Amino acid sequence: MAITDKIYVKNHRQLASQLETSFPKSAFSGATLDILFTGDGIAKLDDASRDRVLDFAEDFLDCDCQGHPHCGCPERKFISYLLELRAQGLGPEAIVDVMGDDYMLYAYPGDVLSFLDDAVRTLEAAERLADVDDREKAGEAIGTRRRELSR
Ligand SMILES: [Zn+2]
């Protein structure tokens, strides 16, 4: 399972009752993207929740793909967001706190930790491949990124 399958909406029950409909707890579920983040119901949410929901939609659901918001862009952008927080030096618990403040989302720190470990391992493998291929510049760029993520 991808990390984006393990990102959940905080106050899920409260939001569902404000929207007078149900949607899955998982933030990147197709139905959640439709109902909570791109639905007409946003106006029914209390101010604080609405601001977070709109911020999420602006930051991750702003593409013009035909399949929007089921095109994969939201997931890709959210993964970049997580990696960016990590590159700023945040650990899994702090990352979970920040996504809560920013977008009213939560995840289990252990899931975030394994996602970050996997990301570093993927970069290590790419770095080795670049070395084998004698692509020094690419290898260096990947190495820089890897070090940012493994501080
Ligand atoms: Zn898209």
Side-chain angles (χ1 to χ4, degrees):
M1 266 209 316
I3 183 69
T4 45
D5 294 325
K6 299 174 189 164
I7 307 293
Y8 305 101
V9 176
K10 266 185 168 178
N11 311 327
H12 167 256
R13 233 175 334 164
Q14 206 182 314
L15 296 184
S17 102
Q18 290 178 17
L19 291 176
E20 296 164 350
T21 184
S22 67
F23 59 87
K25 209 169 181 171
S26 169
F28 288 91
S29 254
T32 308
L33 294 178
D34 285 339
I35 295 169
L36 178 63
F37 293 114
T38 55
D40 305 326
I42 291 177
K44 295 186 201 164
L45 297 173
D46 64 86
D47 291 351
S49 305
R50 191 168 53 230
D51 286 349
R52 282 2 189 290
V53 165
L54 288 174
D55 282 347
F56 180 88
E58 257 175 48
D59 292 346
F60 302 109
L61 308 179
D62 60 340
C63 65
D64 297 317
C65 304
Q66 211 176 2
H68 171 91
H70 309 287
C71 47
C73 298
E75 287 83 351
R76 265 197 304 279
K77 285 180 185 163
F78 195 79
I79 283 173
S80 307
Y81 164 75
L82 294 178
L83 293 175
E84 209 35 63
L85 293 176
R86 178 60 185 161
Q88 286 168 22
L90 270 57
E93 310 238 346
I95 289 175
V96 170
D97 284 347
V98 171
M99 76 171 81
D101 289 344
D102 285 353
Y103 306 112
M104 235 174 25
L105 300 175
Y106 74 92
Y108 296 101
D111 288 337
V112 175
L113 180 64
S114 14
F115 160 73
L116 294 171
D117 283 349
D118 286 350
V120 169
R121 270 197 296 271
T122 304
L123 289 174
E124 278 168 1
E127 208 178 345
R128 275 196 300 273
L129 278 180
D131 282 348
V132 170
D133 282 354
D134 236 3
R135 292 162 57 209
E136 213 173 297
K137 279 247 157 60
E140 276 169 21
I142 298 166
T144 304
R145 187 66 174 152
R146 177 182 53 74
R147 279 186 295 277
E148 277 175 6
L149 296 182
S150 31
R151 276 186 300 200

